[in-house]
Amino acid sequence: SSGINAEYGYYGIADKVFKYDTMGDNPPKADAPVVTEPNVKNLTFRNFIEIIFENPEKSMQSWHLDGYSFFAVAVEPGTWTPEKRKNYNLLDAVSRTTVQVFPKSWAAILLTF
């Protein structure tokens, strides 16, 4: 554990402990340095959050959000691009807590807090 408590934000010292929105909307370039730091997203209450899981590996990955349900709106082969959003199933997506991402594929989920 990093020893970081999100409640620091209530005491006005959050900016000294972590930074907001360090993870961008687009994945970093393949040769970008790996940075390990806490990421706190500044979000609007009850808005949907889109998370894309990409699996470049040769084996299947499973992603589980403990204690949260989300809508798996798309699972497709290849690499995700913003144009893929037009193929999302927004009418009758299944609510679940785990999504499988097949080899060389991606999955999109929508969740809200």
Side-chain angles (χ1 to χ4, degrees):
S1 173
S2 64
I4 294 174
N5 187 336
E7 291 177 357
Y8 287 150
Y10 294 115
Y11 302 109
I13 59 173
D15 293 336
K16 297 174 185 161
V17 179
F18 56 82
K19 297 176 186 173
Y20 288 100
D21 301 319
T22 58
M23 185 186 321
D25 288 336
N26 296 312
K29 296 185 187 305
D31 59 351
V34 175
V35 177
T36 303
E37 64 183 347
N39 181 46
V40 177
K41 297 298 283 181
N42 190 6
L43 304 169
T44 303
F45 184 64
R46 294 292 182 215
N47 271 4
F48 277 99
I49 301 160
E50 175 188 43
I51 299 176
I52 308 298
F53 297 107
E54 285 194 355
N55 180 6
E57 306 294 327
K58 295 180 181 178
S59 59
M60 186 163 58
Q61 297 176 349
S62 289
W63 293 92
H64 175 74
L65 293 181
D66 194 32
Y68 293 97
S69 294
F70 55 81
F71 295 102
V73 294
V75 176
E76 292 185 11
T79 302
W80 182 87
T81 61
E83 294 80 34
K84 302 283 186 172
R85 287 186 178 121
K86 65 183 176 191
N87 298 332
Y88 284 6
N89 176 7
L90 301 177
L91 297 177
D92 61 354
V94 177
S95 177
R96 55 178 69 186
T97 59
T98 304
V99 65
Q100 288 72 37
V101 186
F102 296 98
K104 310 287 186 203
S105 300
W106 59 271
I109 66 170
L110 294 177
L111 70 146
T112 187
F113 293 101

